[in-house]
Amino acid sequence: MGIRIYNTATRRKEEFEPRDEGSVSMYVCGPTVYNHIHIGNARTFLSFDVVRRYLEYRGFDVSFVQNITDVDDKIIKRANEEGRPATEVAAEYTTAFQDAMASLGVAPPTVAPKATETIPEMISMVRRLIEREYAYEVDGDVYFSVRSFSDYGKLSGRDIDEMNAGSRVDVDDRKRDPLDFALWKAAKPGEPHWTSPWGEGRPGWHLECSVMSEKELGVTFDIHGGASDLIFPHHENEIAQSEAATGEPFVRYWMHGGLLQVNKEKMSKSLGNFMLLKDVLKDYDASAVRLMMLQTHYRSPLDFSDDRLDEARTSYERIITPIREVRAATEQPALRRDVQAGAEDRNELLAAIESARERFISEMDDDFNTAGALGALFELARATNRFLGEFGVGEGESNVPLLRQAGNALEELLGVLGITVAERPRSAYPQTVVALARDLAGYEGEDVERAVDALLAARAAARTEKNWAAADAVRDGLGELGFSVEDTSSGARIIYDSRI
RNA sequence: GGCGACGUGGCCAAGUGGUAAGGCAGGGGCCUGCAAAGCCCUCAUCCCCGGUUCGAAUCCGGGCGUCGCCUCCA
């Protein structure tokens, strides 16, 4: 059985069959660039990053399109508040968005169209809709007439007549129906504007995604994603626009992610209970953030808290430890224990590798069940730790190929989830270790790396002499600088402890 | 009021008909100079009440509770 995807449009899981065999066209609604993105936004982009990575892992050639909405009411509002051009605001936060995505390890889209660079196509779609009598113009504004599109409401399961539209918003009496939405907005003085058959104006938000997706992927593309708060009205409106304009089905599979919550309440910019991604990443590794989020299924709500991030950081260490251990052991095999593993034990680890891989794939095939997939990886981590602890590299390093196989499998599958084993950056050692080395190890140079080497050597010597006080002074001193020292059978190891 | 989702151990969370993955935390043990890491053991009958079935966390009905959408929102 292949990949199954929960399709919001049909409310059930469906076998995934792309439009074109072997390739996938997917579109995910991107940000409106008027502020830094918060971690709720990040969760959605992360979810679809994993979808994209997994589809590629399964051999599909994925065209991944994500727009940048760089002209919008909120951008204009912000620009007015700050007394600078809207284009400047948009440019600033576009860059910030791209930087934030990169720091979370989200792969860049194949194409990232900007609304302001797609204006002619937007005007063209509005014109098509007017010609087909799905849209009408009033005083330079153009509205989509929801009642002219009989399928309106099919994605969100709503009936126009049962919605008490306008009950909480002022009804614009120029609209034929309160639910009619703007395709094109006449520009007010000082706003960004483009020349159109209806006068100077700018595109409506919903229009942008219909146009940019069609331009890059054509009609009836495979996957359209976004968070569940976009189902209505945004995605409903996209369907109406695109299907009315083209007469073809818009999208094959609609995927919607669950919302991030804080204290059981939705995190949103309007509620003000948000945390910016860039701030969270100051304190937590991207991989830990990814692990935290991926331990919950993408469609479920996820309650966010520092406690959960702390837990995720601990479990991140757990899952990458065997990878580090295997590297250390296979790089310095002479120092490792050399117990020969019997065929039975070797086969057991081999079987664990195979079953982890199989389970990972079957969990991910089932609507991208990252939580289940991670479960499989934790099990492989334990099997690897057990083997490593019991046999090491084996006599004549005979266990090395098998251990590498286990470590590589873990690393490869974690990589599909975008979780990487962070290499300790060389620059991580602060200059203060030099002083520490001078005090405790008699080191006289200025190089931080060598200072650390000197400290570890001094500690090893002290331990040989059973001078525990001197040995512990080194460990405690490094500990205060944020590094922990762990003794392994291949000698002491120093790791940066991000908790400090 | 309409539409929808959800309710699994101390916390988080997979599992959607055949007898409860995994992570975090806790308890006991091994290893260690001490630690850390790791390993082993231990820790639930799935919100409540009915029903269907040989058998249900898993299906149906009814409660109770939480959340989301119906307005810009990832």
Side-chain angles (χ1 to χ4, degrees):
Chain A
M1 199 152 70
I3 296 172
R4 291 163 59 78
I5 294 180
Y6 182 89
N7 188 347
T8 307
T10 58
R11 296 179 200 287
R12 52 183 202 215
K13 288 180 193 171
E14 296 174 357
E15 195 74 19
F16 178 62
E17 290 170 18
R19 173 179 64 187
D20 303 311
E21 196 180 339
S23 64
V24 177
S25 46
M26 69 184 280
Y27 182 94
V28 174
C29 292
T32 298
V33 284
Y34 70 103
N35 197 349
H36 292 286
I37 62 162
H38 61 64
I39 51 175
N41 303 311
R43 182 193 184 197
T44 299
F45 300 137
L46 169 58
S47 296
F48 288 102
D49 181 52
V50 170
V51 168
R52 183 251 190 107
R53 286 170 185 267
Y54 185 67
L55 290 170
E56 288 177 344
Y57 177 73
R58 291 290 258 135
F60 291 100
D61 180 21
V62 180
S63 292
F64 177 66
V65 179
Q66 182 171 55
N67 65 294
I68 301 276
T69 295
D70 59 350
V71 56
D72 176 86
D73 291 350
K74 280 181 283 199
I75 297 171
I76 293 167
K77 180 165 178 272
R78 177 120 190 181
N80 289 154
E81 285 166 1
E82 297 178 0
R84 54 180 178 148
T87 49
E88 193 180 303
V89 171
E92 177 186 337
Y93 291 110
T94 296
T95 303
F97 170 69
Q98 289 161 342
D99 290 348
M101 287 293 94
S103 60
L104 222 209
V106 171
T110 315
V111 191
K114 291 179 180 171
T116 55
E117 293 172 359
T118 324
I119 301 293
E121 292 86 346
M122 296 201 197
I123 290 172
S124 162
M125 182 175 277
V126 175
R127 187 182 277 140
R128 270 190 281 170
L129 288 169
I130 291 175
E131 282 167 6
R132 289 174 156 244
E133 299 184 342
Y134 286 106
Y136 56 95
E137 188 247 325
V138 185
D139 305 332
D141 288 340
V142 181
Y143 293 99
F144 186 94
S145 169
V146 295
R147 292 199 182 268
S148 68
F149 184 71
S150 59
D151 278 343
Y152 193 78
K154 68 177 175 181
L155 176 68
S156 54
R158 284 159 213 269
D159 184 297
I160 297 177
D161 294 315
E162 284 176 7
M163 280 188 279
N164 48 0
S167 64
R168 297 180 212 185
V169 223
D170 293 336
V171 177
D172 183 342
D173 56 17
R174 298 177 310 159
K175 290 201 267 185
R176 292 178 190 169
D177 186 284
L179 286 170
D180 288 355
F181 55 92
L183 297 170
W184 187 263
K185 299 180 177 187
K188 298 191 186 90
E191 289 183 353
H193 57 90
W194 289 264
T195 302
S196 80
W198 318 283
E200 294 297 308
R202 58 193 168 88
W205 176 48
H206 307 299
L207 182 68
E208 300 179 3
C209 290
S210 282
V211 172
M212 289 188 266
S213 62
E214 183 181 335
K215 181 184 179 189
E216 303 297 341
L217 301 170
V219 284
T220 319
F221 59 90
D222 293 316
I223 295 173
H224 190 129
S228 55
D229 56 353
L230 294 185
I231 295 172
F232 189 91
H234 187 234
H235 289 159
E236 198 69 70
N237 291 351
E238 283 186 46
I239 291 173
Q241 292 162 339
S242 293
E243 300 195 348
T246 67
E248 300 289 330
F250 181 38
V251 163
R252 296 164 69 85
Y253 303 89
W254 282 96
M255 293 181 67
H256 290 97
L259 300 177
L260 196 76
Q261 313 182 325
V262 178
N263 298 324
K264 302 285 181 189
E265 203 175 44
K266 173 183 173 179
M267 174 179 289
S268 74
K269 292 177 183 170
S270 41
L271 286 175
N273 60 347
F274 59 90
M275 288 184 70
L276 300 180
L277 174 62
K278 70 186 179 80
D279 292 332
V280 172
L281 289 175
K282 283 176 191 162
D283 296 324
Y284 296 89
D285 286 349
S287 286
V289 174
R290 293 181 76 107
L291 184 63
M292 185 205 79
M293 292 187 173
L294 296 177
Q295 278 185 296
T296 299
H297 187 93
Y298 79 88
R299 280 192 282 113
S300 301
L302 187 160
D303 211 48
F304 182 87
S305 70
D306 283 350
D307 284 349
R308 296 207 55 189
L309 277 170
D310 288 337
E311 283 179 16
R313 182 149 59 192
T314 306
S315 42
Y316 170 66
E317 291 299 326
R318 173 167 175 75
I319 204 162
I320 64 165
T321 291
I323 298 172
R324 281 193 171 135
E325 294 284 357
V326 164
R327 279 187 196 165
T330 55
E331 281 162 16
Q332 295 178 296
L335 296 171
R336 293 293 306 196
R337 208 187 304 193
D338 59 350
V339 181
Q340 184 59 45
E344 200 176 317
D345 293 302
R346 296 171 56 82
N347 286 335
E348 197 178 304
L349 181 56
L350 205 54
I353 296 168
E354 283 316 302
S355 75
R357 197 186 294 281
E358 281 169 23
R359 201 184 135 202
F360 180 91
I361 290 172
S362 86
E363 296 282 9
M364 290 296 286
D365 274 1
D366 181 13
D367 195 31
F368 309 98
N369 186 351
T370 53
L374 280 165
L377 298 188
F378 278 106
E379 285 175 348
L380 176 56
R382 181 171 346 105
T384 306
N385 283 332
R386 190 191 300 143
F387 186 94
L388 201 53
E390 196 166 349
F391 306 109
V393 298
E395 197 175 337
E397 301 174 28
S398 59
N399 294 335
V400 167
L402 179 59
L403 281 169
R404 289 219 170 109
Q405 207 179 326
N408 289 344
L410 271 174
E411 199 166 359
E412 169 198 325
L413 298 175
L414 282 172
V416 175
L417 303 179
I419 296 171
T420 55
V421 184
E423 294 294 339
R424 187 170 56 259
R426 299 231 156 235
S427 58
Y429 295 126
Q431 200 59 36
T432 43
V433 296
V434 172
L436 188 69
R438 193 165 294 142
D439 291 345
L440 299 177
Y443 175 69
E444 292 178 355
E446 290 296 329
D447 184 82
V448 291
E449 282 287 312
R450 291 186 183 198
V452 170
D453 289 344
L455 283 166
L456 292 181
R459 178 168 175 274
R463 292 184 75 217
T464 305
E465 296 163 11
K466 298 195 189 298
N467 182 351
W468 309 127
D472 291 345
V474 172
R475 190 169 62 193
D476 295 344
L478 283 168
E480 282 172 24
L481 298 178
F483 296 88
S484 54
V485 177
E486 300 181 355
D487 293 312
T488 73
S489 50
S490 58
R493 179 178 54 179
I494 182 163
I495 52 179
Y496 178 62
D497 189 340
S498 54
R499 283 165 291 194
I500 296 170

